[in-house]
Amino acid sequence: MLSASASAEAPKSIGKIERLDPAIDQLIPADSQIEVLADGFDWIEGPVWVPQGKYLLFSDIPPNKIMKWKEGEGVSVYLEPSGYTGKEPFTGKEPGTNGLALDPTGILTACCHGDRNLVKLFDGQRKVIADKYDGKRFNSPNDLVFHSSGDIYFTDPPYGLPKNFDDPGREQDWCGVYRLKKDGQVDLVTSQHTRPNGIALSPDEKTLYVAQSDPKAATITSYPVKADGTVGEGKLFYDGTSQVGKVKGLPDGMAIDAQGNVWATGPGGVLVFTPEGKQIGQLSTGEATSNCTFGADGYLYVTADRYLCRVKTNVSGKK
């Protein structure tokens, strides 16, 4: 790893902002750039803004760390180990945490690849809140989103298993999308995705978005959320399969702004869509871009392979 904070060798910005429709000018100021805050990481993911301390947390998955970035202080290690706490050496490539989120009370909640569970992290303690469905261990929980009820929707691809889909320790017959209810019960939302990854809710919580990082079906699907928390039939929101291999990246993490626009990582960087699914812009990072989140400071924070970046916007994240 290079310097833990932006070094003199790091570019001040990377890539470019593509304005595909005049509507994007209302969301991103004309002088915005993809500003590099730090670089030299292994593969970073799962950014979450912590308003109480005005800092960003994000996962560096291969070295099994959660990192912290704060304006004026740069980057430091927040938690190590993060997603794998076993005593035996981890033999896979991605032991760390992936998706991070704050629960309604502000407690950090994490998807742990190596430990194959969801945990809450507070006061130096680690509390497992889910590790099985129907008596079988999860593959490796990847990303999560909180509903205002306190329920958690999360995805479970096999990326954290040492041998991925072919790992002998795999117990589930599918890569599921699940809902962890406040009472601790885990329900299967859908088993129809080959590689479910990023997940997000619309501001009114009536739409659940699920990204699929399958090179053969690189899609985002939208599901109507029913009053009881279950979902109806999904609709194709975006299909980037034709772009796979032409530019770096696959559908991965997402952030939703207060207006319902979808900022989704995918082939090329961060793709910006209206709630209706029209792409109006793109943050073309030039890197395989994993995830993004809004800070309370008007910035969109982006994890792009080795780079931690931010882009000034005119919008805020959904509440």
Side-chain angles (χ1 to χ4, degrees):
M1 180 175 173
L2 302 180
S3 171
S5 60
S7 69
E9 298 177 357
K12 292 183 179 180
S13 64
I14 58 172
K16 60 182 179 180
I17 297 174
E18 299 186 46
R19 298 174 183 271
L20 307 179
D21 186 279
I24 195 67
D25 296 334
Q26 301 299 312
L27 307 182
I28 303 175
D31 60 350
S32 288
Q33 294 182 314
I34 305 172
E35 176 190 357
V36 174
L37 300 175
D39 78 2
F41 304 103
D42 286 81
W43 172 250
I44 54 175
E45 252 280 17
V48 62
W49 182 260
V50 182
Q52 300 94 324
K54 297 182 180 179
Y55 58 81
L56 186 81
L57 296 177
F58 56 98
S59 301
D60 199 357
I61 302 177
N64 199 20
K65 299 176 182 179
I66 294 176
M67 308 300 293
K68 173 183 175 182
W69 177 88
K70 187 170 184 177
E71 188 82 64
E73 297 180 7
V75 175
S76 58
V77 176
Y78 180 81
L79 180 67
E80 182 184 13
S82 60
Y84 178 66
T85 58
K87 295 182 179 179
E88 297 299 319
F90 191 78
T91 59
K93 296 180 179 180
E94 297 195 0
T97 53
N98 193 316
L100 305 174
L102 301 181
D103 77 2
T105 68
I107 294 175
L108 182 64
T109 309
C111 291
C112 299
H113 272 190
D115 287 342
R116 300 168 67 175
N117 58 24
L118 270 69
V119 299
K120 290 200 173 187
L121 302 165
F122 55 96
D123 296 332
Q125 302 297 312
R126 178 186 296 260
K127 178 183 178 183
V128 176
I129 55 174
D131 61 357
K132 293 183 176 112
Y133 171 71
D134 197 23
K136 299 177 182 180
R137 294 185 71 189
F138 296 131
N139 297 316
S140 57
N142 186 281
D143 203 1
L144 74 164
V145 63
F146 274 93
H147 189 275
S148 60
S149 65
D151 292 354
I152 303 172
Y153 293 89
F154 67 97
T155 58
D156 187 41
Y159 296 133
L161 294 174
K163 294 186 178 179
N164 243 273
F165 287 89
D166 301 320
D167 195 272
R170 186 178 172 192
E171 298 182 17
Q172 298 294 342
D173 295 328
W174 51 69
C175 294
V177 178
Y178 297 95
R179 177 169 62 125
L180 171 60
K181 299 165 74 173
K182 285 187 67 175
D183 62 7
Q185 178 179 327
V186 178
D187 291 342
L188 179 65
V189 175
T190 177
S191 60
Q192 298 305 303
H193 290 276
T194 52
R195 300 185 185 185
N197 200 314
I199 192 165
L201 281 164
S202 60
D204 62 7
E205 299 186 323
K206 293 182 179 180
T207 304
L208 180 73
Y209 298 97
V210 177
Q212 177 168 272
S213 52
D214 186 339
K216 297 179 181 178
T219 60
I220 299 173
T221 302
S222 63
Y223 292 92
V225 180
K226 301 178 182 179
D228 64 357
T230 61
V231 305
E233 185 176 353
K235 293 183 179 180
L236 183 66
F237 182 80
Y238 162 74
D239 189 344
T241 310
S242 65
Q243 296 300 305
V244 174
K246 297 178 182 178
V247 289
K248 292 182 180 180
L250 290 164
D252 202 326
M254 291 175 280
I256 313 297
D257 68 31
Q259 301 171 22
N261 300 299
V262 180
W263 303 63
T265 61
V270 180
L271 289 57
V272 186
F273 301 94
T274 66
E276 295 73 34
K278 179 183 179 181
Q279 186 179 355
I280 58 174
Q282 184 164 309
L283 311 179
S284 297
T285 63
E287 304 292 335
T289 305
S290 63
N291 214 329
C292 56
T293 193
F294 285 98
D297 53 1
Y299 283 98
L300 179 79
Y301 289 85
V302 180
T303 50
D305 198 344
R306 60 179 285 175
Y307 294 104
L308 175 65
C309 308
R310 69 179 178 183
V311 176
K312 184 67 176 177
T313 75
N314 292 325
V315 292
S316 59
K318 77 175 186 70
K319 303 298 182 184

